């Protein structure tokens, strides 16, 4: 499809396991974002990339979280040694620059629902 | 510290009523966006405002960007049940125009 694709849609894991969440952005989109969203709340910024370069990772909660986008397209968010507090919806979005360089429209994927038991 | 604040947090109104939701910050933004999110879906863009004082209209929705580019409002005229959803403001600061952060959202319920 032409939209942002995330996998897996649902992931149930045991505490202490590592998980990898994948995001396939809209073809040609420069920027790729990762957010975490609690039910009924706004998306919480985690990190973002322009092409393959990670521009800002200040929102990653701790060093168990990492992200990469090695070829400037698909991105992976990895959580090591998962904890119950990591349970959440993880959303990916992609965009291209808007007019005159202002922020373009963010297109969101359907999200990956992570449950840590 | 929440960079963007939204109010009210929850709003329940009757069909046909008017309403305004607010997005405020102590920081200056180069642009501000409004998104609507329905249950089970990702946020979808409604509008982007970039100029202080700018007003944009989208059918029954009117968006305004504050003169100092620190706040914004969304006004809905004659609300309909289809307007129900989570309304999110999102801003990008001048120093990092493509780092987009979201406010906590206003959950709107329009009762038929």
């Amino acid at each position: 499809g032409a939209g942002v694709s995330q996998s897996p849609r649902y992931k149930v894991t045991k505490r202490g396991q590592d998980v990898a969440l994948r995001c396939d952005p809209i073809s040609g989109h420069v920027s790729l974002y990762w957010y975490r969203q609690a039910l009924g709340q706004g998306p919480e910024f985690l990190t973002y990339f322009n092409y393959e370069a990670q521009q800002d990772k200040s929102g990653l909660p701790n060093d168990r979280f990492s992200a990469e986008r090695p070829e400037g397209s698909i991105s992976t968010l990895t959580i090591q040694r998962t904890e119950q507090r990591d349970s959440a919806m993880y959303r990916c979005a992609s965009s291209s620059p808007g007019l005159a360089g202002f922020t373009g429209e963010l297109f969101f994927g359907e999200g990956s629902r992570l449950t840590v038991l | 510290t929440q960079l963007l604040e939204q109010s009210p947090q929850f709003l329940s109104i009757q069909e046909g009523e008017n309403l305004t939701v607010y997005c405020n910050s102590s920081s200056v933004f180069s642009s501000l966006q409004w998104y609507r999110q329905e249950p089970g879906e990702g946020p979808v863009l409604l509008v982007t405002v970039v100029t202080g004082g700018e007003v944009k209209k989208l059918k029954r929705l009117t968006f305004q960007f504050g003169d100092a580019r620190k706040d914004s409002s969304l006004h809905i005229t004659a609300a309909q049940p289809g307007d129900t959803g989570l309304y999110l403001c999102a801003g990008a600061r001048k120093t990092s125009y493509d780092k987009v952060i979201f406010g906590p959202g206003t959950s709107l319920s329009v009762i038929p």
Side-chain angles (χ1 to χ4, degrees):
Chain A
V4 177
S5 178
Q6 291 187 245
S7 62
R9 291 285 311 281
Y10 302 92
K11 177 69 176 178
V12 180
T13 190
K14 292 184 178 179
R15 186 180 56 186
Q17 296 295 306
D18 297 350
V19 296
L21 307 177
R22 172 188 164 118
C23 174
D24 192 351
I26 293 173
S27 178
H29 274 192
V30 169
S31 300
L32 185 147
Y33 302 81
W34 284 101
Y35 295 92
R36 183 168 65 178
Q37 187 173 25
L39 191 63
Q41 295 291 312
E44 173 194 5
F45 173 83
L46 295 178
T47 186
Y48 84 105
F49 296 81
N50 284 341
Y51 301 103
E52 73 282 359
Q54 190 169 25
Q55 299 294 314
D56 188 311
K57 58 180 182 178
S58 62
L60 296 176
N62 50 60
D63 59 9
R64 295 185 296 105
F65 287 73
S66 62
E68 63 174 8
R69 193 187 184 196
E71 297 180 359
S73 180
I74 293 169
S75 177
T76 303
L77 176 69
T78 301
I79 308 173
Q80 295 180 312
R81 305 180 303 282
T82 53
E83 300 178 5
Q84 287 185 328
R85 60 178 171 159
D86 300 333
S87 297
M89 175 69 82
Y90 290 84
R91 291 197 185 273
C92 172
S94 69
S95 75
S96 279
L99 294 176
F102 288 106
T103 306
E105 176 176 1
L106 268 62
F107 293 85
F108 282 83
E110 292 180 316
S112 291
R113 168 75 64 187
L114 174 65
T115 301
V116 182
L117 302 177
Chain B
T1 302
Q2 192 78 41
L3 201 54
L4 282 168
E5 303 285 348
Q6 289 189 243
S7 61
Q9 185 177 1
F10 299 99
L11 189 55
S12 181
I13 62 171
Q14 293 292 131
E15 182 176 1
E17 292 184 352
N18 302 332
L19 67 115
T20 303
V21 299
Y22 300 91
C23 175
N24 298 284
S25 177
S26 58
S27 300
V28 175
F29 289 92
S30 61
S31 65
L32 202 138
Q33 298 175 318
W34 284 92
Y35 290 78
R36 181 169 70 203
Q37 185 174 19
E38 298 187 16
E41 305 290 327
V44 175
L45 181 69
L46 296 173
V47 76
T48 299
V49 286
V50 301
T51 305
E54 181 176 4
V55 176
K56 280 192 173 179
K57 292 191 175 183
L58 183 66
K59 296 182 181 179
R60 294 177 293 101
L61 278 60
T62 302
F63 305 85
Q64 184 161 9
F65 201 11
D67 291 341
R69 303 206 311 276
K70 292 183 178 182
D71 56 84
S72 181
S73 63
L74 158 59
H75 182 81
I76 301 178
T77 302
Q80 298 177 1
D83 296 327
T84 293
L86 182 67
Y87 287 82
L88 299 158
C89 65
R93 297 179 67 181
K94 210 169 189 179
T95 51
S96 182
Y97 75 90
D98 49 3
K99 175 181 178 180
V100 181
I101 58 169
F102 282 80
T106 293
S107 180
L108 172 65
S109 178
V110 181
I111 302 165

